[in-house]
Amino acid sequence: MRIAVAGGTGTVGRQVVAVAKGRGHQVASLSRSEGVDLVTERGLDQALQNVETVIDVTGIQTLSTKKAVDYFTNATQNLLAAETKAGVKHHVALSIVGIDNANSGLYAGKLAQEAEVRHGGIPWSILRSTQFHEFVPMSIKTASLGPLVFVPQMRTQPVAAEEVAAALVDAAEAGPKGRLPDLGGPQAEHLKDLVAAYLAKTGQKKRIVQLRLPGPMGKAMRNGNLIPAAGSAVGRQNFREWLEATSPA
């Protein structure tokens, strides 16, 4: 089929494009760098011509609840409206495990996105996954101050981005199924242990400072509410296997 991947140049988007092409699908990647902007709608109608299925893995980096909600609401409304005009038959969206328990920041934005998808008029599937393994180096980069790296107290169950991508393409091929089983990695971990492993692997001499974040978000992180429930789908590659396979510099 002809698949459009919204956010096709991001961490998981690149993997979705590669997996879909590898299975013989025709794939269009939608991103600002490729001339498509979901917020301004620039290039959107043209990019969806003859597309049967859209896989939406778009994202935004912000801690602001308002910015996240505004972005995902506007981008998703625009994308679904363009899909309606183009005759798209199936919308697949990637979301995050546990967002009902931590309705602020990015998670509030993803909840808004899910609501738009459910009521947007296009037959849909939603896959919630845990954080990707790549979340750890991203966290270190954004939360470092000199020799210190600040890490929230968090139980997590990270999953390989490639496995999430494969699950999204599986969903595209299966047709609209509504809410799909959550997907997490094979092993529950404490984020500080993953950060320590990454720092050791990359030879970075930083001291980890754990933070107890306030509010529902912090509580959900600490209590394991962002980990998939029993019976969810489980990936194969754990964090340390990913770390060995990627050989980060």
Side-chain angles (χ1 to χ4, degrees), residues 105-182:
L106 178 64
Y107 289 6
K110 297 302 285 187
L111 278 172
Q113 179 188 34
E114 288 189 7
E116 294 295 339
V117 170
R118 287 196 303 271
H119 302 108
I122 303 290
W124 56 273
S125 302
I126 293 175
L127 173 68
R128 288 183 177 182
S129 85
T130 54
Q131 287 80 15
F132 314 134
H133 297 315
E134 290 84 355
F135 174 70
V136 173
M138 288 168 56
S139 296
I140 294 171
K141 183 177 180 180
T142 58
S144 289
L145 183 62
L148 305 178
V149 57
F150 296 91
V151 178
Q153 292 182 15
M154 180 178 183
R155 291 180 61 209
T156 184
Q157 197 166 317
V159 65
E162 184 177 5
E163 293 177 5
V164 176
L168 289 166
V169 178
D170 288 344
E173 294 171 341
K177 301 292 183 184
R179 175 80 181 273
L180 301 171
D182 290 352

Side-chain angles (χ1 to χ4, degrees), residues 59-77:
I60 183 174
Q61 292 188 359
T62 182
L63 297 176
S64 165
T65 297
K66 184 180 187 306
K67 287 182 179 178
V69 170
D70 286 350
Y71 171 79
F72 282 110
T73 298
N74 295 335
T76 306
Q77 287 178 349

Side-chain angles (χ1 to χ4, degrees), residues 2-247:
R2 182 163 175 80
I3 297 173
V5 182
T9 57
T11 299
V12 71
R14 293 192 300 270
Q15 301 274 12
V16 173
V17 170
V19 170
K21 285 183 175 179
R23 296 188 189 180
H25 299 295
Q26 299 177 49
V27 184
S29 176
L30 315 184
S31 68
R32 285 190 297 271
S33 64
E34 294 162 316
V36 181
D37 190 317
L38 300 188
V39 175
T40 66
E41 302 178 79
R42 174 172 59 94
L44 186 53
D45 288 341
Q46 298 90 325
L48 292 182
Q49 288 181 6
N50 301 316
V51 167
E52 300 165 66
T53 298
V54 170
I55 300 176
D56 184 4
V57 292
T58 52
I60 183 174
Q61 292 188 359
T62 182
L63 297 176
S64 165
T65 297
K66 184 180 187 306
K67 287 182 179 178
V69 170
D70 286 350
Y71 171 79
F72 282 110
T73 298
N74 295 335
T76 306
Q77 287 178 349
N78 291 342
L79 183 55
L80 290 169
E83 290 174 22
T84 300
K85 286 191 287 184
V88 171
K89 300 295 192 293
H90 184 196
H91 182 98
V92 181
L94 175 63
S95 191
I96 305 173
V97 168
I99 55 177
D100 305 294
N101 302 310
N103 189 8
S104 64
L106 178 64
Y107 289 6
K110 297 302 285 187
L111 278 172
Q113 179 188 34
E114 288 189 7
E116 294 295 339
V117 170
R118 287 196 303 271
H119 302 108
I122 303 290
W124 56 273
S125 302
I126 293 175
L127 173 68
R128 288 183 177 182
S129 85
T130 54
Q131 287 80 15
F132 314 134
H133 297 315
E134 290 84 355
F135 174 70
V136 173
M138 288 168 56
S139 296
I140 294 171
K141 183 177 180 180
T142 58
S144 289
L145 183 62
L148 305 178
V149 57
F150 296 91
V151 178
Q153 292 182 15
M154 180 178 183
R155 291 180 61 209
T156 184
Q157 197 166 317
V159 65
E162 184 177 5
E163 293 177 5
V164 176
L168 289 166
V169 178
D170 288 344
E173 294 171 341
K177 301 292 183 184
R179 175 80 181 273
L180 301 171
D182 290 352
L183 173 61
Q187 190 170 337
E189 304 264 13
H190 290 281
L191 181 58
K192 68 177 177 60
D193 295 334
L194 303 183
V195 169
Y198 190 90
L199 292 174
K201 176 72 174 181
T202 56
Q204 298 183 59
K205 307 296 184 183
K206 290 182 179 289
R207 184 163 70 88
I208 296 172
V209 178
Q210 268 207 117
L211 301 176
R212 184 182 176 90
L213 298 185
M217 175 71 80
K219 184 178 180 180
M221 286 179 167
R222 293 189 300 275
N223 293 354
N225 290 335
L226 306 183
I227 290 176
S232 300
V234 179
R236 298 180 301 279
Q237 186 187 54
N238 66 35
F239 179 79
R240 286 163 184 80
E241 290 169 340
W242 171 82
L243 196 53
E244 290 299 319
T246 54
S247 299

